[in-house]
Amino acid sequence: MNSQLPVTAPPKRTRIIKCPICQQIGHFQKTCPQRVQAAAATTNGDIALPLAITRASKKRSRGPKTTAAVSPRILRQIPQNESGESGDELAADDDDASHHNVHGLPTPVVDAFAEALDGDGEADVVDTDSVLTEIPVWTQSVVHDEDRTLRSSIQQTNIPSFRGERSGPKNIPPWVKSEIDFFLLFMTDDILDQFVSSSNAYATSTKIRGWHPLSSQELLVFMGVVTYLGVVKVPTRRSAWKDGGIFSQSFLQRHMTAKRFEDILKALHWTNTAEMSEEEKSHKRRDSNYWLVDGFLSKLSINCRQHFFLGQHFDIDEMCIYFKGRFICKCYNPNKPEKWHLKFFALNDGATGYLYDFYPYQGAAERRPPQWGATAYPVYKLLHDRVELHNVNHILHIDNWYNQLQIAMFVRSIGMHSNGTVKTNRKGLPKQALFKNTGATKKERGTVELHSTTLSDGHEYFFTCWMDTKAVHMLSTYRPGVRPVLRNSTGSDGKYIKIRLTRPTNIGDYNGGMGGTDLFDQYCSYYRTMVRTKKWPTRIFTHFIMATIVNAFILFKFSHDDSTLIKYLEALIKQLAMFSFKQPPSHGMVAQCAIIVADDEEPTRRKEVWDKKRLDNTITHMPAHTSRSEGSRRECKVCCKLTAYSCQQCDVGLCIENPAKTSCYEVFHALDSYKNVL
């Protein structure tokens, strides 16, 4: 009798579905508490449904658009890559335009949405009566194609008059003169003390072998070593401390040992996690993915804003930090020089590249008001609270990833202007006026068309089309003129020639003001540190050491025109390394570094004293030993290595034990020329 085994069906795979409104599990869209509450309020006639709560229509209307009020839609969250887009460029823009309100919002509406976020990232029901729902009506202006009109337009640049200070340093104390003084304007005492206390607590809790307490002075020496490894490239940082190797760096060996550097790198922490429970860590992790360094980033951004006047032209763009380790906010973009990176949104001065403000991008976990999409929110976040920049006619330059009518209306509501390239599928643009790159309707090179519209806020906005080798579309809040430019072209004989074309003036403004963030990144890339790490907080810290140095160099260059970045780095590394031979100060680091720089001539004065004593037979020279608790080791005057021994009478560091050769102590007190004899 054949027995058959029962056939069991494979278990069904369950699919977890989240509510598209509140992103919670356990109910459907129709029974969402937020939707029910909003619908009840609307039924009672209290308020209108906000864009984030109203249910979207299942089928998109294909009919012609009218000037009637557009029905609100759900702003659903879509999966995003590191640039905030999904899929190819055109599909991403169409999807972004469909699910984000790209029309501008007056200031009262922006404030209403900001107040609706009560700390948990969920949007309360707010009044949306003042949200712009009209379709802009664009009118075409006269094309500047005649020489007479061109000459009259050149005389009027049309740039709004600037009522603020020109770009430059501010709040600089009178004693800040040297390279390290400017550096310590950003790495202040409170930042150093926080790193020291948290690092010591972490090292004590993890029981790092041979650890002794870290001080602020040793942390500055550590920063100098990190900077040195960015200037002097070595295959591995271990080879820099290897004795006798061709990559050996005696400068590093004199100021810090390899083990001490690795211990500090391992123990470096901003947040004291040693005394935190797992529940507290989990709670902070839910609030922010960057919770381990949030305090450091906020304090550093405050210091950056405190010491610089932002000029009229500035830009907002992405700042990438190379990192390939494990981190939830790590981004990938094959078009970037650093394909794997951590992304920050940065606000930089257009003329100097100075880093004025920044904040990290947290990916899908980023909490933002419902009416601000992924492309518009960085501009809102960086400018909304910067009241010192409002109402003085600053000009914001942004590329086509950010630029849209919503941004243009927002910057006008806070007394600024905007200018930049714009994607042709943004909502509200005149579709019939777009230039084509191919086809029978392609415009002749040098053609300029200007379109303007006045929206409900009373301000005028300008859409400019210009045909170069391909179409260029600009959206600005001030009226551009035209100007002649010389461009390369191919002649009838196949050689390059210069031809004269007309070009809108706001394109030249954009080229001059948009490169601030790129210029800052270029400065940082010259001597980026080679310290490799798998810990993302350490990577952020080492990156912002270089970012702080670049900002300090920009401030230093205003008073030292002949200075270059490499000269500044050379002087700064020497001054940071001098803290390895100094006792802990009893006052602030800025004042202490002024004393150190003033003592640069001290070795010359001391040499006149001990050079007379070292060969004097009437003096009894006695060696002395300095324990670790009493102070740092000193540099041997003969072999330049760190030693715990010294001569009491000469007051110089000297090695006592050297089994292979004569000790440095004997050579120093016996030979007239003691250098390079060992």
Side-chain angles (χ1 to χ4, degrees), residues 595-608:
I595 295 175
I596 291 178
V597 176
D599 291 342
D600 280 343
E601 299 179 357
E602 180 184 357
T604 303
R605 295 194 299 266
R606 288 179 54 199
K607 185 177 185 302
E608 298 176 356

Side-chain angles (χ1 to χ4, degrees), residues 73-89:
R73 303 176 58 88
I74 289 180
L75 297 180
R76 63 180 177 90
Q77 295 182 352
I78 57 177
Q80 298 170 347
N81 57 17
E82 69 89 21
S83 63
E85 299 177 354
S86 62
D88 61 305
E89 183 181 18

Side-chain angles (χ1 to χ4, degrees), residues 355-389:
L355 180 62
Y356 188 81
D357 199 4
F358 57 89
Y359 83 95
Y361 171 68
Q362 302 201 29
E366 186 174 51
R367 297 177 178 178
R368 56 179 183 266
Q371 85 284 5
W372 290 104
T375 59
Y377 180 66
V379 178
Y380 169 78
K381 184 175 178 63
L382 288 172
L383 296 181
H384 182 262
D385 296 332
R386 304 281 79 83
V387 294
E388 70 275 9
L389 305 179

Side-chain angles (χ1 to χ4, degrees), residues 477-537:
T477 60
Y478 61 93
R479 179 180 292 273
V482 292
R483 180 171 297 174
V485 292
L486 295 178
R487 307 290 288 179
N488 290 328
S489 182
T490 304
S492 57
D493 55 353
K495 296 182 179 180
Y496 280 108
I497 60 174
K498 294 287 185 179
I499 60 174
R500 181 175 178 269
L501 299 177
T502 58
R503 188 183 70 176
T505 56
N506 59 342
I507 293 182
D509 300 339
Y510 174 81
N511 293 337
M514 183 58 197
T517 304
D518 293 337
L519 178 60
F520 179 83
D521 288 341
Q522 184 179 0
Y523 277 135
C524 292
S525 65
Y526 286 152
Y527 307 105
R528 182 179 289 115
T529 177
M530 299 301 295
V531 176
R532 299 185 63 182
T533 178
K534 294 182 179 180
K535 297 181 178 180
W536 63 266

Side-chain angles (χ1 to χ4, degrees), residues 331-357:
C331 303
Y332 175 79
N333 189 341
N335 298 324
K336 294 287 185 180
E338 298 86 8
K339 295 178 175 57
W340 296 97
H341 58 268
L342 307 177
K343 186 168 73 172
F344 281 67
F345 293 107
L347 189 158
N348 294 75
D349 181 64
T352 62
Y354 182 91
L355 180 62
Y356 188 81
D357 199 4

Side-chain angles (χ1 to χ4, degrees), residues 183 186-187 297 300-301 304-305 308 310 314-321 338 342 344-359 512-528 540-555 565 568-569:
F183 175 74
F186 304 96
M187 290 292 178
L297 297 177
L300 189 61
S301 65
C304 291
R305 298 194 301 270
F308 192 81
L310 193 66
F314 67 92
D315 74 311
I316 291 178
D317 207 349
E318 301 172 11
M319 178 176 63
C320 298
I321 302 176
E338 298 86 8
L342 307 177
F344 281 67
F345 293 107
L347 189 158
N348 294 75
D349 181 64
T352 62
Y354 182 91
L355 180 62
Y356 188 81
D357 199 4
F358 57 89
Y359 83 95
M514 183 58 197
T517 304
D518 293 337
L519 178 60
F520 179 83
D521 288 341
Q522 184 179 0
Y523 277 135
C524 292
S525 65
Y526 286 152
Y527 307 105
R528 182 179 289 115
I540 288 178
F541 176 61
T542 56
H543 171 81
F544 279 100
I545 290 178
M546 191 62 203
T548 300
I549 291 175
V550 171
N551 267 6
F553 165 70
I554 294 174
L555 295 181
L565 182 58
Y568 181 86
L569 284 170

Side-chain angles (χ1 to χ4, degrees), residues 15-36 55 74:
R15 180 184 178 187
I16 300 176
I17 301 177
K18 293 183 178 180
C19 174
I21 296 179
C22 63
Q23 302 297 320
Q24 300 297 321
I25 302 173
H27 61 265
F28 296 98
Q29 178 177 339
K30 293 182 178 180
T31 59
C32 177
Q34 292 187 15
R35 174 177 172 78
V36 172
R55 183 179 180 182
I74 289 180

